[in-house]
Amino acid sequence: EDFEAETKSRGDELNALATAKQVIAEATGGGEPAESFLQVKRAQLGSDSVVRQVRRLAREQHSAALVQLATRMAAAMRGGSGDPFEKVRGLISDMITKLEDEAEAEATKKAYCDKELVESSDKKLQKTTEIDKLSTKIDQMSAKSAQLKEEVAELQGALAKLAQAQAEMDSLRQKEHEIFVKSKAEMEQGLEGVKLALKILSEYYASEGKDHKAASGGSEGIMGLLEVVESDFSKSLAEIMTTEDTSAAEYDKETKENAIEKTMKTKDVEHKTKESAYLDKTVSELSADRSGVQAELDAVLEYLKKIEEQCIAKAETYADRKARREAEI
């Protein structure tokens, strides 16, 4: 919008200068040599009026270019070789040409600035968006990797406790079995002794003879006591064997369950460790990519800053230049 307004203003400026040129032409009779005092006087009055107008505009607009133009016009009118009016027309023509050249240069520069600003802003947005996406992925993967590492640590702790529990169970089972073996041997030995005693006494009391017939009443008490002892030994032996079998069965069951749990947890540790390592590797690669994109963004921002300083960030804005040039015209 500023460029269109300046273009219109520049056109008005050129028209004004053309008008000034036309005034001089009319005042000097179209540039022909003066033939009478009246014609010369009239031309001087017309040119003086134009110079005064230019000086007034220079003061009002604080324009160095118009001050210079008015000074050169006045100098040309004071005399010298050649037609002074033609010199003034030449000065105005030169300034018109200069303004036209400036307008063309300004238009070319504005097109360049518009193109570079748009492209640089698009690149800035593109790189910023790319960095945001990479940062999101990095954060998500880093969080997932940290979670997996925590889970691995928990699994390793559980495996350590499981191994400790199994070791304690192995030690207890071994002690129980050793006690069983010793107790079983003692009971079997005692049972064999009682059985042997019963056999001896049974054979003795079963033989014919008056002497032991008289003691038959006492024999029944002894035999009955030994039979009770034999029964107790047999019962106790059966109980410790049952206890041993039950303990061995429970031990085997728990050992198999622990082995299965250990296998599952070990596999889980391997899987999670592998996944965590993959995530860490990917995070490293993405971080390198982000660093590369960040470097590209930094270059774009640096270039954009230069373009903005060149095209926008000036002490005299485009609007100020437009107003000044309009006033000059």
Side-chain angles (χ1 to χ4, degrees), residues 60-228:
E60 291 176 354
Q61 304 300 327
H62 307 287
S63 172
L66 289 178
V67 170
Q68 184 181 12
L69 176 62
T71 301
R72 295 176 67 184
M73 288 172 61
M77 295 302 299
R78 280 196 297 268
S81 60
D83 184 359
F85 305 108
E86 184 64 28
K87 291 180 180 180
V88 170
R89 286 195 296 269
L91 291 174
I92 295 177
S93 296
D94 291 343
M95 189 166 187
I96 290 175
T97 300
K98 177 184 177 183
L99 291 172
E100 289 175 342
D101 291 342
E102 288 179 355
E104 182 178 357
E106 188 77 14
T108 301
K109 182 178 179 180
K110 184 178 186 302
Y112 166 78
C113 288
D114 289 345
K115 177 176 177 294
E116 294 301 315
L117 285 171
V118 169
E119 291 181 355
S120 297
S121 297
D122 289 344
K123 288 180 181 178
K124 174 185 175 182
L125 178 60
Q126 176 187 350
K127 298 302 177 184
T128 301
T129 302
E130 189 173 352
I131 287 175
D132 290 341
K133 289 181 179 179
L134 287 171
S135 296
T136 299
K137 288 183 179 180
I138 289 171
D139 292 343
Q140 290 175 344
M141 289 185 174
S142 297
K144 179 63 176 177
S145 178
Q147 180 183 353
L148 288 170
K149 289 173 182 176
E150 290 181 2
E151 293 174 358
V152 166
E154 292 176 0
L155 288 168
Q156 289 175 336
L159 284 170
K161 291 180 180 179
L162 183 64
Q164 182 180 358
Q166 183 64 46
E168 293 174 354
M169 193 169 64
D170 291 344
S171 177
L172 180 60
R173 176 85 281 271
Q174 183 178 358
K175 291 178 181 179
E176 288 178 346
H177 182 68
E178 289 175 354
I179 292 173
F180 164 74
V181 171
K182 182 180 179 181
S183 298
K184 180 184 177 185
E186 291 175 350
M187 287 186 179
E188 286 179 342
Q189 184 178 356
L191 183 60
E192 288 299 324
V194 172
K195 287 182 177 181
L196 181 59
L198 283 172
K199 180 181 178 183
I200 293 172
L201 290 175
S202 295
E203 291 176 352
Y204 171 76
Y205 289 122
S207 62
E208 296 180 357
K210 294 181 179 179
D211 293 335
H212 40 267
K213 282 184 179 179
S216 61
S219 66
E220 291 178 0
I222 295 174
M223 294 291 290
L225 179 61
L226 290 175
E227 288 174 354
V228 171

Side-chain angles (χ1 to χ4, degrees), residues 5-16:
E6 182 172 355
T7 301
K8 181 177 181 302
S9 173
R10 200 187 304 277
D12 294 340
E13 181 179 15
L14 292 173
N15 289 335

Side-chain angles (χ1 to χ4, degrees), residues 27 34-48 77 85:
E35 295 180 355
S36 67
F37 173 79
L38 181 60
Q39 287 177 325
V40 172
K41 190 67 176 175
R42 186 175 131 200
Q44 290 176 342
L45 291 173
S47 60
D48 290 342
M77 295 302 299
F85 305 108

